Amino acid sequence: MTSHEASSTPTVSITEAPPNVTVLQQTPQLIALYTIIRDIKTQRADFVFYSNRIIRILVEEGLNHLPVQATSVSTPTDLTYKGLKFEGKICGVSIMRAGESMEQGLRDCCRSVRIGKILIQRDEETAEAKLFYEKLPEDIKDRYVLLLDPMLATGGSAIMAVDVLVAKGVPVERILFLNLISSPEGIDAFAKKFPKLKVITGFIDEGLNEQKFVVPGLGDFGDRYYCI
């Protein structure tokens, strides 16, 4: 391989992951989308647009992991089509505030889906997560839950959010965690605590820096999506 070829090779996700973790296929389209949202020069309107593209892909992949059952329908040609239908009700739960950016992508795929919210904030000095607020559907224990948060750093917030759901009676096997970028440390911590919970991530980055931020990352997702 020449030096030119080596320098032009795009950075793709780390592929080694626990068996409960699914990483999106590293297609040229996906890498191009991540290149745009990682770029510090990308303006907010473009950041939102291309982040939404990735979120839609994540949601579609998440839906592939929900259980289905056989069903048959009659077509306009008076023939029977043997197909599938989703088994059970679903809902989304966003970890505020950045997770709220993923709600519309879920609504675009699942009509009239119910969405709950959990507010967990990280202490910047200790990097420990603290629960401040939760508002969830009353029947959440009977639903499959798509947990939404764009970034998985230490895993503290996501782990606490799952603990909240489990305390509400949701079986851990019925929770799918969707995020755009993860750290290997967060993935490992999450998988050790919840080995039966499925994680769908778009990209596993290099790791965490001294401030416990994902690197190379893309900065503060919530700030870039809502403010900057």
Side-chain angles (χ1 to χ4, degrees):
M1 179 181 294
T2 66
S3 58
H4 174 73
E5 290 174 331
S7 63
S8 63
T9 301
T11 302
V12 297
S13 171
I14 294 173
T15 55
E16 294 183 6
N20 64 320
V21 177
T22 297
V23 181
L24 292 181
Q25 184 180 359
Q26 302 293 289
T27 63
Q29 176 188 198
L30 187 70
I31 299 303
L33 296 176
Y34 272 97
T35 302
I36 294 171
I37 67 171
R38 289 182 189 273
D39 190 345
I40 193 173
K41 298 178 182 178
T42 297
Q43 298 297 309
R44 177 177 174 267
D46 285 336
F47 183 88
V48 170
F49 180 84
Y50 292 106
S51 292
N52 287 344
R53 288 272 308 276
I54 299 173
I55 290 166
R56 179 66 179 263
I57 296 170
L58 276 170
V59 171
E60 297 281 10
E61 178 59 29
L63 295 176
N64 284 333
H65 293 263
L66 292 175
V68 293
Q69 61 186 29
T71 188
S72 296
V73 297
S74 298
T75 74
T77 58
D78 293 326
L79 294 176
T80 298
Y81 173 76
K82 296 180 179 179
L84 299 171
K85 65 178 181 179
F86 288 118
E87 183 181 293
K89 301 179 293 183
I90 71 168
C91 73
V93 173
S94 60
I95 301 178
M96 301 166 66
R97 80 178 155 158
E100 293 174 303
S101 65
M102 303 176 70
E103 293 177 1
Q104 188 58 50
L106 179 57
R107 291 191 180 100
D108 289 342
C109 297
C110 302
R111 187 178 181 183
S112 302
V113 64
R114 300 191 66 184
I115 294 179
K117 298 178 185 290
I118 296 176
L119 175 58
I120 296 170
Q121 294 184 339
R122 188 176 72 167
D123 188 306
E124 296 299 333
E125 294 183 0
T126 65
E128 295 294 326
K130 295 182 179 180
L131 174 66
F132 284 86
Y133 172 83
E134 52 94 356
K135 180 68 173 178
L136 304 169
E138 293 182 359
D139 63 346
I140 195 168
K141 65 181 179 62
D142 301 319
R143 296 175 179 266
Y144 290 90
V145 179
L146 277 68
L147 182 63
L148 311 173
D149 196 15
M151 306 294 288
L152 175 63
T154 62
S157 296
I159 288 172
M160 181 172 288
V162 173
D163 285 337
V164 171
L165 296 175
V166 171
K168 294 291 184 180
V170 182
V172 72
E173 297 85 354
R174 287 187 170 220
I175 304 171
L176 289 81
F177 178 38
L178 277 56
N179 69 87
L180 278 75
I181 297 179
S182 300
S183 72
E185 296 92 333
I187 286 287
D188 289 343
F190 203 78
K192 288 177 181 177
K193 181 73 181 290
F194 305 112
K196 295 182 179 180
L197 191 157
K198 292 183 179 179
V199 178
I200 315 296
T201 187
F203 211 104
I204 302 177
D205 263 10
E206 294 176 8
L208 300 174
N209 63 13
E210 293 182 357
Q211 291 75 40
K212 304 299 181 183
F213 290 114
V214 183
V215 291
L218 48 72
D220 188 304
F221 188 95
D223 282 351
R224 296 191 68 186
Y225 194 94
Y226 291 112
C227 305
I228 300 175

